[in-house]
Amino acid sequence: MIFGKKGDDAVLAKLASAPEPYRGIAERLHAIIRETAPGLEPVLRWGLPFYVKDGKDVCYIKPDKDYLVFGFGEVANPAFEQGAHMHPVAWTLTSLDDATEQRIRELVAKAAG
């Protein structure tokens, strides 16, 4: 896989361009991902921060002017539920609280393996 830019600095520079309140949420998500799964490599691809393991997408952050999306690659979907007919792979975030941060940590840890 070819990535435009790699590393925390490149990803944080991209996240810094998001408008508030999404900039703060995105920067906090980055910190949660890096703390929870330090083995994931932060990269920029298609202008978006992705976090990859062994060349495969684990999760990503998509900031926009009106929303912020946090999602997972379909292959390592940590929200997959046996017997369910629909499996979420992305969520729109409008704010973060302790319970949401904890759920994100659980999902990231599961997806990162």
Side-chain angles (χ1 to χ4, degrees):
M1 256 184 212
I2 307 248
F3 300 109
K5 296 180 180 179
K6 296 182 177 184
D8 291 303
D9 290 344
V11 167
L12 286 170
K14 175 62 181 178
L15 297 177
S17 69
E20 287 297 352
Y22 308 109
R23 177 184 316 132
I25 296 169
E27 290 170 345
R28 182 68 189 129
L29 277 175
H30 174 80
I32 290 168
I33 294 164
R34 298 298 285 143
E35 291 163 9
T36 304
L40 297 182
E41 182 180 19
V43 299
L44 280 182
R45 184 173 59 234
W46 305 306
L48 298 177
F50 281 81
Y51 301 83
V52 300
K53 179 180 179 181
D54 301 326
K56 293 187 170 86
D57 296 339
V58 174
C59 58
Y60 65 91
I61 300 170
K62 181 182 177 183
D64 198 276
K65 64 181 181 66
D66 298 318
Y67 60 87
L68 181 135
V69 173
F70 174 64
F72 291 92
E74 290 83 355
V75 175
N77 180 2
F80 177 86
E81 293 180 28
Q82 196 65 40
H85 296 280
M86 290 176 42
H87 311 279
V89 293
W91 294 263
T92 301
L93 298 177
T94 53
S95 63
L96 287 171
D97 61 8
D98 291 343
T100 304
E101 286 193 13
Q102 183 56 38
R103 179 68 177 138
I104 289 168
R105 286 180 190 280
E106 292 164 3
L107 290 170
V108 168
K110 186 176 178 184

